[in-house]
Amino acid sequence: MGTADHRTGGHDARHTREDTEPPALRRDDWERPSSPSRAEVAADHIADRIARTQPGTRLGTKDDLRAECGVSAGTFNEALRLLQTRGLVTVRPGPGGGLFAAQPPPARRLDAWAQALDEQHPDEALRIRDALDPLLVEDALWHASPADIAELRRHLAALAEAADAPDPVAFAHADRLLRTRLAALSPSSLLRSLYGGLLTVVELAEPVATPETLRARHDRHAALIDALDTRDRDRALRLAGSPVGTSDTGGAAAG
């Protein structure tokens, strides 16, 4: 009887452990944290400083900025890697060195090319911009942090307000700002410069849009940001390359 009770107790205990065992982790649980890491927070803090300074400005030494961010040396090195990947900082060794706000690449030839499109074939700027979207989305899938996604959603709110108005001019402006923020996630300075020049031309040459078109374009941006947030590569690239008026399999309008 004592042996039977011992086995029964073991059996019950095993079932108790099985009943209380936590569910298996989903891919998103181990592949991507639910909140920004300390390195991402430090990188965003420095990125905010860079946004308020002139290109080439000295930000300070590594030790100065690490102390300002309040992180360990290893965490700061990871934050620095994130900033360099996004093309926001340069590091100069030696006396007087340190971290500097990155200088934009020479854009004289790109500006001349964009001006030619503006004067002769502005519709070409729109076509080329759309062709570059998948490249930017691919980079964003690799490099976007939770803080970056939150910033994209703030721009999306301005886009929704313009679509509800409806105000095509305000929508075109908000659309450019959102795309500029998306382009900032790419580590390619050439791609960022090329895309930025196209955005200026496209905003000036944006055709008159109906309220329905504005809403469809907003919904496409919203679905794209959701796909970036969940790292759904197939859906994100499908949305980036979808023509106006089509629908994503998830039900969101694309355009």
Side-chain angles (χ1 to χ4, degrees), residues 5-196:
D5 289 342
H6 175 72
R7 289 177 180 176
T8 301
H11 180 73
D12 292 342
R14 184 169 61 253
H15 277 288
T16 300
R17 286 196 301 270
E18 291 174 353
D19 292 342
T20 59
E21 184 176 339
L25 291 176
R26 297 174 302 174
R27 183 175 181 176
D28 285 348
D29 293 331
W30 54 262
E31 190 172 59
R32 185 167 177 267
S34 58
S35 59
S37 67
R38 290 181 63 83
E40 290 170 335
V41 172
D44 288 338
H45 173 77
I46 298 174
D48 287 340
R49 280 193 54 185
I50 293 172
R52 298 191 297 270
T53 62
Q54 293 295 321
T57 300
R58 185 176 185 273
L59 304 172
T61 66
K62 289 184 179 181
D63 288 340
D64 291 339
L65 293 173
R66 182 177 68 81
E68 180 180 320
C69 295
V71 296
S72 66
T75 298
F76 182 78
N77 287 336
E78 175 63 15
L80 179 58
R81 185 191 65 79
L82 293 172
L83 292 166
Q84 289 177 310
T85 298
R86 291 160 61 179
L88 296 179
V89 300
T90 56
V91 181
R92 301 178 192 171
L99 269 63
F100 293 78
Q103 289 277 8
R108 184 175 303 171
R109 294 177 62 185
L110 291 177
D111 288 345
W113 172 77
Q115 183 179 0
L117 286 176
D118 188 18
E119 294 174 350
Q120 300 175 20
H121 305 287
D123 55 312
E124 283 294 290
L126 177 61
R127 188 169 73 91
I128 297 171
R129 182 206 68 180
D130 292 345
L132 294 178
D133 280 343
L135 294 177
L136 289 172
V137 168
E138 188 77 70
D139 284 350
L141 285 165
W142 279 98
H143 301 293
S145 69
D148 293 324
I149 297 297
E151 184 66 22
L152 288 173
R153 292 195 189 280
R154 283 192 285 272
H155 285 293
L156 184 65
L159 205 68
E161 183 177 348
D164 291 339
D167 187 340
V169 175
F171 189 95
H173 180 66
D175 181 84
R176 179 174 67 83
L177 294 179
L178 188 152
R179 289 174 180 272
T180 298
R181 185 65 180 84
L182 179 65
L185 302 178
S186 173
S188 171
S189 58
L190 176 60
L191 180 56
R192 294 196 305 269
S193 296
L194 179 60
Y195 195 78

Side-chain angles (χ1 to χ4, degrees), residues 210-229:
T210 65
E212 292 76 15
T213 300
L214 295 181
R215 175 50 57 183
R217 289 171 59 190
H218 165 272
D219 291 346
R220 182 252 189 184
H221 280 306
L224 176 58
I225 294 172
D226 286 342
L228 292 176
D229 192 19

